[in-house]
Structure formats: C-alpha cells, structure tokens
Amino acid sequence: MEEAKTAEAQEKSGWGSGIAVGILVGVALFCLTYALLIMAK
Amino acid sequence: MEKDFTRRTFIKGMAVGTMAGYLGAAGLSSTVFKNQLLPQEKLNQVDIGEIKALKIKVVSETSWYDNNVFLNDVKGAGGLLVNQYTIPWTCAGVAAGYQGSNLGGFSTYIEATLMDGKVMKIHFDTGWNPAWMEKRFREEGVAEKLAKKEIDFMVLSHEHIDHFFGLEATLKFYPDIPLYVPKGFYQEGFDFLKGKSFPAANAINNIPHRGKMTVLDSSKVNILYPGIALMTFDVPIILRVFGEQAFVFNVKDKGLVLVTGCCHQGIISYMEEVRKKVKGGEKIYAIEGGLHISPFEDWDPQYDDLIMAFNKYGVQKIGCNHCTGFITAEKMHKAGLPVIKGTARNMTKRDIYLGNGDELAIA
C-alpha cells in the first residue's frame, strides 16, 4: 500500500517536473527558431 | 526500478511540456506580443509632392466596337497568348465600327496644375486606329496642342494594340514628343516606335519617334514632377505583352488620384501598392480609367467580391471606363459606389460611365 502510494507520488512528480522543464525547453526552442528567422532575413 | 519509472514519466512530461511551450510561445508572439516582435511593414515611404488641380479628359475609351469581331480575330489567330503583332485585326466590314473598322483606341488627355501654377499637359496612350484617333485628337484639341508642342510628354501605359498601335496619329503632329514607356516592351514595340510597320496586324507607322524616350521599371515610385508619379508593374498580359504603368497624382486637400490605362495589374493590387509605397496612400480620393474587370461583358461571381472590396478604400470618385465593362459599372452603381456617369457620345454606347469627350476635374 505504502509502496503504491510512493509510486503514484513519484509518477505525479515525474510528470510535473517533466512538463515544467519541457515548457522551458519549448519556449527556448521557439526563441531560437525566431532568432534564426530574424537573422535569415 | 522506482527511479526509472520516475525518469520515464519525466521524459513523457517534458515531451508534452516542450510542445506546449513551443506552441504557447508561438501563439503568444503572434497575437499578444505581435506588435513588439514582428517587424512592422514600412508604409507611406515615398512623398511624391502635391499638385493644385487635375483635369482628366477621356479622348477615346472605345478600343473596339464589336466584341464578337475582336474575339473572333483572337480565336482565329490561335488564342489569347498569340503575339499581337501577328494577328490580322479586322479593319473593314464591321457595321458597328468606325468607317467599317472594328479598331478604335484608348487615349486620355491630362492637365495637372503644379503648386507654382505651371500646367503640365500629358498625352496618355495613343490609341489603335490612326484614323479614329486623329479624328478624336482633332475634336478634343489634342492635335492642335501636339502640333504646337504644348504637350509636355506622352506616357504609354503598356504595349497593347489599343493603347499603342495608333502611334502614327500622335507622331504626325509631334514626332519628337518626350516619351515614357514601362519596362517590358518587346523588340517589335521599339521597332514600331522607330517607324517599322507590321502589315499582318494592320499596324502601320511610317513616322519614327525622334524624341527622348525613358523606360521606367518597377523598382521604385517614379516621380516625374512634384505631385505626379508613375508606378510600373511587372505583369504578364494577354496577346504577349509584359508590364504596365499607371499614374498617381496627389491633389492638395483631396488626396491621391490614380489614373490607369487598362490596369492589368489589378485594381485592388494597384491600390494596395499605392497604400504601401506612397505617402498619403491611405486616402485614395479618385480613380480614373480602365479597371480591367469585364472587358468582354462577361461576369464571374468572384468579381462581386472585387466590387465589395472597393468599400475598404473609401474612394470618393470612380471615373471608370474602357475595359471596366458596362456590366461592372452597373454592378458598381447598384453597390452604391461613386461611379461618375458620362454623356454617351462620340461612339461611347452608354452613359453608365465616363465616355469619349467626358471630363473629370479635381481641385
């Protein structure tokens, strides 16, 4: 029971931190492509 | 095992987060932060100056008299892409024509009063049938002004038969008239200007042009005098013609006035280009000339959209004629657009738009 709770908490924590980091990476990627496009002009 | 499980969910979350972050950033940058992030297009770049007043006289807008005869000439030669210098245009036996010829022509006479009071006299296009054009030049006093060299220059809107093949009717009065042509004239056009005839197309010119000729391109707004400019468009046109130019005048306290020959560049494209490139382009006061919508009196539902689009530009006077088509003028009247009526004389069949001998004055 305790193990199941821990596993569920770890899964939630994995998703949460993954999404948070992912958003940062996504925004950074967009900024990079935007900068490349501006430079290409 | 527990760590792996966490890592797997972390990677899944990061994949979802990356997509969300990228799309979210794209969405925000193109909407909320659009003005900060996207470089603004520079508008109203060229100040062409101002004139005091403008007078536009329709010398001839009747380019041919029987649509069926004209279309049969084109079909018989092989279609709309055939070289106009090789088509045997019908010059006899047309009941509706001028002295039996189906050929008429397009020409406009313009007087632009500069701010210092000097009046610039402009001969815009020289028509098709030299006999008809000479008659109209004489009737409207253009021939006399040409003979006295009172006209400052001639502008050819494009190389088409009905705007150009009547060249001899101008050169017989003023062979050294200064001339502006758009980039895109074919060698036949330059040869015709030098006095070469094309008998197969009934295009006869025995008088070489001896004046200064300037070829204008589309790289910039070409300011001829303060308040008088020409815009050239790189546009392929039927009957193997390329390039057309049209006037932009800026009349003090009124706004811009666009004067066209045939407007093969498209009237909406023309107005959009003027808005982008000419100072004051947001206020197009008037348009005069051919709008090239239904020259053969045909109609396509997409033209309705074109007429509706006119409202966006707030044009206060539309002095259309020629290749605009009667059916277009009718629809414009019905749509409440300010189309100026004419007097239906000198071979113009209807009074629904400005016809031969009619005038539009702006001051």
Side-chain angles (χ1 to χ4, degrees), chain B residues 129-145:
Chain B
N129 178 352
W132 164 253
M133 294 316 298
E134 184 176 338
K135 170 182 150 67
R136 290 300 300 142
F137 291 160
R138 287 186 188 279
E139 285 171 349
E140 298 299 341
V142 174
E144 193 184 350
K145 289 185 182 74

Side-chain angles (χ1 to χ4, degrees), chain B residues 91-252:
Chain B
C91 294
V94 179
Y98 173 66
Q99 294 174 343
S101 172
N102 195 38
L103 320 186
F106 176 96
S107 181
T108 301
Y109 172 69
I110 302 167
E111 287 186 356
T113 309
L114 303 183
M115 295 309 285
D116 63 6
K118 180 174 171 26
V119 178
M120 299 304 298
K121 294 170 182 166
I122 306 166
H123 187 42
F124 185 35
D125 285 339
T126 185
W128 190 353
N129 178 352
W132 164 253
M133 294 316 298
E134 184 176 338
K135 170 182 150 67
R136 290 300 300 142
F137 291 160
R138 287 186 188 279
E139 285 171 349
E140 298 299 341
V142 174
E144 193 184 350
K145 289 185 182 74
L146 283 168
K148 289 180 179 171
K149 299 194 175 187
E150 287 176 0
I151 291 184
D152 294 280
F153 56 90
M154 171 162 71
V155 169
L156 292 173
S157 64
H158 63 305
E159 199 182 340
H160 256 166
I161 36 178
D162 52 325
H163 296 249
F164 180 46
F165 281 17
L167 184 66
E168 203 178 56
T170 294
L171 296 184
K172 77 180 288 184
F173 295 109
Y174 189 177
D176 48 347
I177 187 169
L179 171 64
Y180 293 94
V181 301
K183 189 181 173 189
F185 261 49
Y186 281 84
Q187 190 55 48
E188 288 103 320
F190 291 116
D191 290 344
F192 191 60
L193 279 164
K194 286 177 193 159
K196 181 179 176 182
S197 294
F198 295 85
N202 298 310
I204 309 298
N205 177 29
N206 292 310
I207 306 168
H209 175 244
R210 296 198 297 266
K212 185 187 174 193
M213 180 173 65
T214 309
V215 180
L216 299 175
D217 67 30
S218 60
S219 61
K220 62 181 192 295
V221 177
N222 297 293
I223 301 168
L224 308 184
Y225 291 88
I228 306 173
L230 279 169
M231 285 181 77
T232 307
F233 297 83
D234 296 325
V235 53
I237 308 173
I238 56 168
L239 302 174
R240 208 219 50 173
V241 166
F242 191 90
E244 176 157 351
Q245 59 188 1
F247 278 104
V248 183
F249 296 94
N250 185 18
V251 183
K252 187 176 166 55

Side-chain angles (χ1 to χ4, degrees), chain A residues 1-29:
Chain A
M1 190 67 182
E2 198 61 32
E3 272 182 12
K5 275 187 181 172
T6 309
E8 198 184 330
Q10 278 175 334
E11 190 175 346
K12 274 185 184 168
S13 158
W15 272 106
S17 47
I19 285 174
V21 174
I23 287 173
L24 289 175
V25 171
V27 171
L29 268 176

Side-chain angles (χ1 to χ4, degrees), chain B residues 6 23 27 33 65 74 78 88-89 121 174 193 219 256 264 266 278 322 332 345 349:
Chain B
T6 304
L23 293 174
F33 299 113
Y65 299 102
V74 174
W89 303 103
K121 294 170 182 166
Y174 189 177
L193 279 164
S219 61
L256 300 184
H264 288 99
V278 181
H322 183 46
M332 285 175 142
R345 59 201 165 105
K349 289 174 191 158

Side-chain angles (χ1 to χ4, degrees), chain B residues 2 28 35 60 64 85 109 112 114 165 170 177 188 274 338 346:
Chain B
E2 282 172 5
L28 282 174
N35 293 336
S60 175
W64 52 85
Y85 291 93
Y109 172 69
L114 303 183
F165 281 17
T170 294
I177 187 169
E188 288 103 320
V274 168
N346 302 313

